[in-house]
Amino acid sequence: QTDRQTDRQTDKQTDRQRDKQAQADREPDRQRARPTGTHRHKKAYRDKQTETVRQKKRERESDRQKERERERERKKERDRQIENLCVCVHQLIANCCQQVDIPEPVDVIISEPMGYMLFNERMLETFLHAKKWLKPGGRVFPSRGDLYCSPFMDDSLAMEQFNRGNFWFQTYFHGVDLSGLQEAAVKEYAQQPIVDTFDVRILLAQPNRYTVDFQTADEQDLHRIDFPVSFQIMSPGTMHGLAFWFDVAFIGSTSTIWLSTAPQEPLTHWYQVRCLLRKPLMVRVGQVVTGHVRLLANARQSYDVEIELRVEGTSMTSGNTLDLKNPYFRYSGASVAPPPGNHTTSPT
């Protein structure tokens, strides 16, 4: 029995060795039988993919290079067109407009000649004088100016002006009697136009407009400006004076741009201008206030402003003469306060 077991173990070992040997013998055949062409095919496929990626990269780089070349050509063409369109020569002439000359007429005149109440400083006259160099059909910018005027009520402003004059009522200011200057001081305060801004709700009527077409106007037209006014009162109250502002238009060939200094528009450095009456007028809804505003050019590069008003159907009249060259700059940077009594519900 022991011998039989030994023989079986020996047979099993022999069988295992035989199987191993047979497997070792078949391995070279399996290696030889493996399709080596597939490996080469995969390698060739990877090489082809790499070459395709490189080719696409080269093509993209070539496209970018061509686009850069085309952009350079377009820029050169634009530069050539600009050079052919015009040759700009910048020359500063340091002299008055009325005392210089230029060798040829121009297509466009552009300036910023507006002052307070549009006409202050009288730069508009120089602007119009420069049209002697304008070609037929040429344009000026700004092309048109509109001066607006409306009556207003502002008790706080009137009280402030009155208090400014109270200083000169003193008879013993450090031992000096100022009352002798009171009349002249109060008169000068009354002749000062007030440069500031205000809430549009203090206006008592729709504004009147006076228009100057800078394209056709002559500088002599601005030496005396007569602005007839007629207001239909829309809100009752005390009419303390007239408020002024202006709009200017830049009229081009395809569009028109407006610059406005109106109180409901964003604030500009021209603000608005208010001219007080010597005596306020009491007005009711529906009444008509008529009169004239005259701007008379003076030798101080500005205007004397004459205001004459009357309430139709009554004997009430008022007016004032103001020096636009000597304004009172009241604007403080604080937000403008609305007129009292405009709340329809309790603010508290």
Side-chain angles (χ1 to χ4, degrees):
Q1 185 176 3
T2 302
D3 292 339
R4 283 197 299 272
Q5 291 177 348
T6 303
D7 292 339
R8 289 192 198 99
Q9 293 177 354
T10 302
D11 292 340
K12 290 180 179 179
Q13 291 176 355
T14 302
D15 292 340
R16 285 196 293 271
Q17 291 176 356
R18 189 183 300 113
D19 292 340
K20 289 181 180 181
Q21 184 62 40
Q23 186 177 1
D25 293 340
R26 287 194 301 271
E27 184 64 26
D29 296 336
R30 193 179 298 114
Q31 292 287 344
R32 287 192 296 273
R34 180 177 297 167
T36 55
T38 301
H39 176 69
R40 289 194 298 273
H41 176 71
K42 289 182 179 179
K43 184 176 183 302
Y45 179 72
R46 287 194 298 271
D47 293 343
K48 185 176 181 180
Q49 279 186 322
T50 304
E51 182 61 28
T52 302
V53 171
R54 290 174 180 171
Q55 180 64 25
K56 289 182 178 179
K57 185 177 179 180
R58 286 194 293 269
E59 290 175 357
R60 288 195 297 269
E61 182 62 31
S62 176
D63 291 341
R64 286 194 291 267
Q65 182 65 25
K66 291 177 181 178
E67 181 61 30
R68 287 193 289 268
E69 290 292 338
R70 286 193 293 268
E71 181 61 31
R72 281 194 288 267
E73 289 298 325
R74 286 195 292 266
K75 185 177 183 302
K76 290 180 181 179
E77 180 62 24
R78 287 196 300 269
D79 293 343
R80 283 193 294 268
Q81 291 176 355
I82 293 174
E83 290 176 359
N84 294 333
L85 181 64
C86 64
V87 177
C88 297
V89 178
H90 300 276
Q91 182 180 3
L92 176 64
I93 303 175
N95 207 335
C96 297
C97 176
Q98 293 85 347
Q99 299 177 3
V100 298
D101 199 2
I102 58 176
E104 59 181 349
V106 299
D107 299 295
V108 175
I109 297 174
I110 184 167
S111 181
E112 188 273 281
M114 300 85 71
Y116 298 119
M117 231 170 95
L118 183 59
F119 299 106
N120 188 37
E121 297 175 346
R122 298 181 62 181
M123 283 296 296
L124 284 170
E125 295 174 45
T126 303
F127 178 54
L128 297 181
H129 180 86
K131 290 194 301 180
K132 65 181 181 181
W133 298 314
L134 191 65
K135 288 181 180 179
R139 295 180 181 273
V140 296
F141 298 108
S143 314
R144 162 182 162 177
D146 292 342
L147 177 65
Y148 289 90
C149 172
S150 180
F152 73 91
M153 177 179 68
D154 193 338
D155 291 321
S156 63
L157 175 62
M159 184 59 66
E160 179 182 326
Q161 288 293 90
F162 178 78
N163 290 334
R164 290 177 67 198
N166 279 347
F167 174 81
W168 302 96
F169 281 93
Q170 299 181 81
T171 58
Y172 194 82
F173 180 73
H174 298 284
V176 179
D177 183 0
L178 301 179
S179 60
L181 300 174
Q182 179 266 332
E183 183 178 354
V186 171
K187 181 179 179 180
E188 181 173 349
Y189 291 150
Q191 290 178 340
Q192 285 186 295
I194 297 156
V195 178
D196 69 345
T197 188
F198 54 84
D199 191 294
V200 70
R201 287 171 289 183
I202 71 171
L203 300 179
L204 302 176
Q206 290 293 332
N208 286 195
R209 180 179 66 188
Y210 182 86
T211 298
V212 179
D213 185 350
F214 301 138
Q215 196 73 41
T216 59
D218 188 76
E219 57 183 308
Q220 283 76 25
D221 298 338
L222 304 184
H223 292 170
R224 178 187 175 93
I225 299 170
D226 195 347
F227 183 2
V229 295
S230 177
F231 307 106
Q232 184 168 3
I233 301 302
M234 302 175 63
S235 178
T238 304
M239 179 177 167
H240 290 108
L242 297 179
F244 295 87
W245 63 91
F246 67 86
D247 296 347
V248 290
F250 297 78
I251 304 174
S253 56
T254 59
S255 63
T256 299
I257 303 298
W258 285 91
L259 168 65
S260 177
T261 66
Q264 68 270 22
E265 292 296 313
L267 189 63
T268 70
H269 74 277
W270 289 284
Y271 306 99
Q272 291 91 43
V273 177
R274 288 187 282 176
C275 297
L276 291 172
L277 299 173
R278 287 190 301 268
K279 180 179 65 176
L281 296 173
M282 299 297 297
V283 292
R284 301 190 307 269
V285 174
Q287 286 185 316
V288 176
V289 178
T290 60
H292 286 80
V293 177
R294 296 185 182 89
L295 281 75
L296 307 176
N298 57 40
R300 300 184 301 279
Q301 294 300 109
S302 189
Y303 288 84
D304 296 321
V305 182
E306 296 181 355
I307 300 175
E308 297 176 1
L309 298 175
R310 64 177 176 174
V311 181
E312 293 293 325
T314 73
S315 60
M316 292 188 297
T317 62
S318 188
N320 200 1
T321 300
L322 301 99
D323 182 5
L324 192 55
K325 183 66 174 179
N326 182 32
Y328 169 45
F329 293 95
R330 184 172 178 260
Y331 178 70
S332 63
S335 300
V336 294
N342 276 270
H343 296 293
T344 56
T345 59
S346 171
T348 307

